Coordinates of all heavy atoms in Angstrom, one line a residue:
D32 N 7.6 14.1 -7.8 CA 7.4 13.9 -9.3 C 7.8 15.2 -9.9 O 7.3 16.3 -9.6 CB 6.0 13.6 -9.6 CG 5.7 12.1 -9.5 OD1 6.2 11.5 -8.5 OD2 4.9 11.5 -10.3
V62 N 7.3 10.0 -15.5 CA 6.2 9.0 -15.2 C 5.2 8.9 -16.3 O 4.8 7.9 -16.7 CB 5.5 9.4 -13.9 CG1 4.4 8.4 -13.6 CG2 6.5 9.3 -12.7
F63 N 4.8 10.1 -16.8 CA 3.8 10.1 -17.9 C 4.3 10.8 -19.2 O 3.6 11.5 -19.8 CB 2.5 10.9 -17.4 CG 1.8 10.2 -16.2 CD1 1.8 10.9 -15.0 CD2 1.3 9.0 -16.3 CE1 1.2 10.3 -13.9 CE2 0.6 8.4 -15.3 CZ 0.6 9.0 -14.0
R129 N -5.6 8.5 -18.5 CA -4.4 7.7 -18.4 C -4.8 6.3 -18.1 O -6.0 6.0 -17.9 CB -3.5 8.3 -17.3 CG -4.1 8.2 -15.9 CD -3.1 8.9 -14.9 NE -3.4 8.5 -13.6 CZ -3.0 9.1 -12.5 NH1 -2.2 10.1 -12.6 NH2 -3.3 8.6 -11.3
H164 N 11.9 3.6 -11.5 CA 10.5 3.7 -11.0 C 9.6 3.2 -12.1 O 9.4 3.9 -13.1 CB 10.2 5.2 -10.7 CG 8.8 5.6 -10.3 ND1 7.7 5.4 -11.1 CD2 8.4 6.2 -9.2 CE1 6.7 5.9 -10.4 NE2 7.1 6.4 -9.3
N167 N 3.2 3.5 -13.0 CA 2.7 4.3 -11.9 C 1.4 3.6 -11.4 O 0.5 3.3 -12.1 CB 2.3 5.7 -12.4 CG 1.9 6.6 -11.3 OD1 2.7 7.0 -10.5 ND2 0.6 6.9 -11.2
E168 N 1.5 3.3 -10.1 CA 0.3 2.8 -9.4 C -0.4 1.7 -10.2 O -1.6 1.9 -10.6 CB -0.7 3.9 -9.1 CG 0.0 4.9 -8.1 CD -1.0 6.0 -7.6 OE1 -2.0 6.2 -8.3 OE2 -0.8 6.5 -6.6
N264 N 5.5 2.4 -7.5 CA 4.8 3.1 -6.4 C 3.4 2.4 -6.2 O 2.6 2.3 -7.1 CB 4.6 4.6 -6.6 CG 4.1 4.9 -8.0 OD1 4.2 4.2 -9.0 ND2 3.5 6.1 -8.1
Y265 N 3.2 2.0 -5.0 CA 1.9 1.4 -4.6 C 0.8 2.4 -4.4 O 1.0 3.4 -3.7 CB 2.0 0.6 -3.3 CG 2.9 -0.6 -3.2 CD1 3.6 -1.0 -4.3 CD2 2.9 -1.3 -2.1 CE1 4.4 -2.2 -4.2 CE2 3.7 -2.5 -1.9 CZ 4.4 -2.9 -3.0 OH 5.2 -4.0 -2.9
V266 N -0.4 2.1 -4.9 CA -1.5 3.0 -4.6 C -2.2 2.5 -3.4 O -2.4 1.3 -3.2 CB -2.5 3.1 -5.8 CG1 -3.0 1.7 -6.2 CG2 -3.6 4.0 -5.5
L267 N -2.5 3.4 -2.4 CA -3.2 2.9 -1.2 C -4.6 3.6 -1.1 O -4.9 4.5 -1.9 CB -2.5 3.3 0.0 CG -1.1 2.8 0.2 CD1 -0.5 3.2 1.5 CD2 -1.1 1.3 0.0
W270 N -9.2 1.7 -2.3 CA -9.1 1.0 -3.6 C -8.0 0.0 -3.5 O -6.9 0.5 -3.2 CB -8.9 2.0 -4.7 CG -8.8 1.6 -6.1 CD1 -9.8 0.9 -6.7 CD2 -7.8 1.8 -7.0 NE1 -9.4 0.7 -8.0 CE2 -8.2 1.3 -8.2 CE3 -6.6 2.5 -7.0 CZ2 -7.4 1.3 -9.4 CZ3 -5.8 2.6 -8.1 CH2 -6.2 2.0 -9.3
D288 N 2.3 5.6 -2.3 CA 1.7 6.9 -2.4 C 0.7 7.0 -1.4 O -0.1 6.1 -1.2 CB 1.1 7.0 -3.8 CG 2.1 6.9 -4.9 OD1 3.3 6.9 -4.6 OD2 1.7 6.8 -6.1
H289 N 0.7 8.2 -0.7 CA -0.4 8.3 0.3 C -1.1 9.6 0.3 O -0.5 10.7 0.5 CB 0.2 8.0 1.7 CG -0.9 7.8 2.7 ND1 -1.0 8.7 3.8 CD2 -1.9 6.9 2.8 CE1 -2.1 8.3 4.4 NE2 -2.6 7.2 3.8
Y290 N -2.4 9.5 0.1 CA -3.3 10.7 0.1 C -4.4 10.4 1.0 O -5.4 9.8 0.7 CB -3.8 10.9 -1.3 CG -2.7 11.2 -2.3 CD1 -2.1 10.2 -3.1 CD2 -2.2 12.5 -2.5 CE1 -1.1 10.4 -4.0 CE2 -1.2 12.8 -3.4 CZ -0.6 11.7 -4.1 OH 0.4 12.0 -5.0
E378 N 4.9 9.3 -2.9 CA 4.0 10.5 -3.3 C 3.2 10.9 -2.1 O 2.7 10.0 -1.4 CB 3.1 10.1 -4.4 CG 3.6 10.1 -5.8 CD 2.5 9.8 -6.8 OE1 1.3 10.2 -6.5 OE2 2.8 9.2 -7.9
S379 N 3.0 12.1 -1.9 CA 2.0 12.7 -1.0 C 1.7 14.1 -1.5 O 2.3 14.6 -2.4 CB 2.6 12.7 0.4 OG 3.8 13.4 0.4
A380 N 0.7 14.7 -0.8 CA 0.3 16.0 -1.3 C 0.8 17.1 -0.4 O 0.7 17.1 0.8 CB -1.3 16.1 -1.3
L383 N -3.4 21.0 -1.2 CA -4.7 20.6 -1.6 C -4.7 19.1 -2.0 O -3.8 18.7 -2.8 CB -5.2 21.4 -2.8 CG -5.6 22.8 -2.5 CD1 -5.9 23.5 -3.9 CD2 -6.9 22.8 -1.7
I384 N -5.7 18.4 -1.5 CA -5.8 17.0 -2.0 C -7.3 16.8 -2.4 O -8.2 17.4 -1.9 CB -5.4 15.9 -0.9 CG1 -6.2 16.1 0.4 CG2 -4.0 15.9 -0.7 CD1 -6.0 15.0 1.3
Y385 N -7.4 16.0 -3.5 CA -8.7 15.7 -4.0 C -9.5 14.9 -2.9 O -9.0 14.0 -2.3 CB -8.6 14.8 -5.3 CG -8.2 15.6 -6.4 CD1 -6.9 15.5 -7.0 CD2 -9.0 16.5 -7.0 CE1 -6.4 16.2 -8.0 CE2 -8.6 17.3 -8.1 CZ -7.3 17.1 -8.6 OH -6.9 17.8 -9.7
F416 N 3.8 14.4 -4.8 CA 3.3 14.7 -6.1 C 2.7 16.1 -6.0 O 1.7 16.3 -5.3 CB 2.2 13.7 -6.5 CG 1.7 14.0 -7.8 CD1 2.3 13.4 -9.0 CD2 0.6 14.9 -8.0 CE1 1.8 13.7 -10.2 CE2 0.2 15.2 -9.3 CZ 0.8 14.6 -10.4
Q417 N 3.4 17.0 -6.5 CA 4.4 17.0 -7.4 C 5.3 18.2 -7.2 O 5.1 19.0 -6.3 CB 3.9 17.0 -8.8 CG 2.9 18.2 -9.0 CD 2.2 18.2 -10.3 OE1 2.6 17.7 -11.3 NE2 0.9 18.6 -10.2
E426 N -5.2 17.3 -13.7 CA -5.0 17.5 -12.3 C -4.4 18.9 -12.0 O -3.5 19.1 -11.2 CB -4.0 16.5 -11.7 CG -4.7 15.1 -11.7 CD -3.9 14.0 -11.1 OE1 -2.6 14.1 -11.2 OE2 -4.4 13.0 -10.7
H429 N -4.2 20.1 -8.5 CA -3.5 19.3 -7.5 C -2.3 20.1 -7.0 O -1.6 20.8 -7.7 CB -3.0 18.0 -8.1 CG -2.6 17.0 -7.0 ND1 -1.5 17.1 -6.3 CD2 -3.3 16.0 -6.4 CE1 -1.4 16.2 -5.4 NE2 -2.5 15.5 -5.4
S430 N -2.1 20.0 -5.7 CA -1.0 20.8 -5.1 C 0.4 20.4 -5.5 O 0.6 19.3 -5.9 CB -1.2 20.8 -3.6 OG -1.1 19.5 -3.1
Ligands
LIG805 C1 -1.5 9.6 -7.4 C2 -0.8 9.4 -8.8 C3 -0.3 10.7 -9.4 C4 -1.4 11.8 -9.2 C5 -1.8 11.9 -7.8 C6 -2.8 13.0 -7.6 O1 -2.2 8.6 -7.0 O2 0.2 8.5 -8.8 O3 0.0 10.6 -10.7 O4 -2.5 11.5 -10.0 O5 -2.3 10.7 -7.4 O6 -3.5 12.9 -6.4

Side-chain angles (χ1 to χ4, degrees):
D32 276 39
V62 177
F63 296 115
R129 66 184 197 193
H164 176 299
N167 189 69
E168 297 186 337
N264 50 337
Y265 291 4
V266 59
L267 301 185
W270 183 54
D288 296 350
H289 192 243
Y290 297 95
E378 277 186 32
S379 55
L383 285 174
I384 52 173
Y385 286 107
F416 182 87
Q417 55 191 323
E426 292 181 334
H429 194 283
S430 58

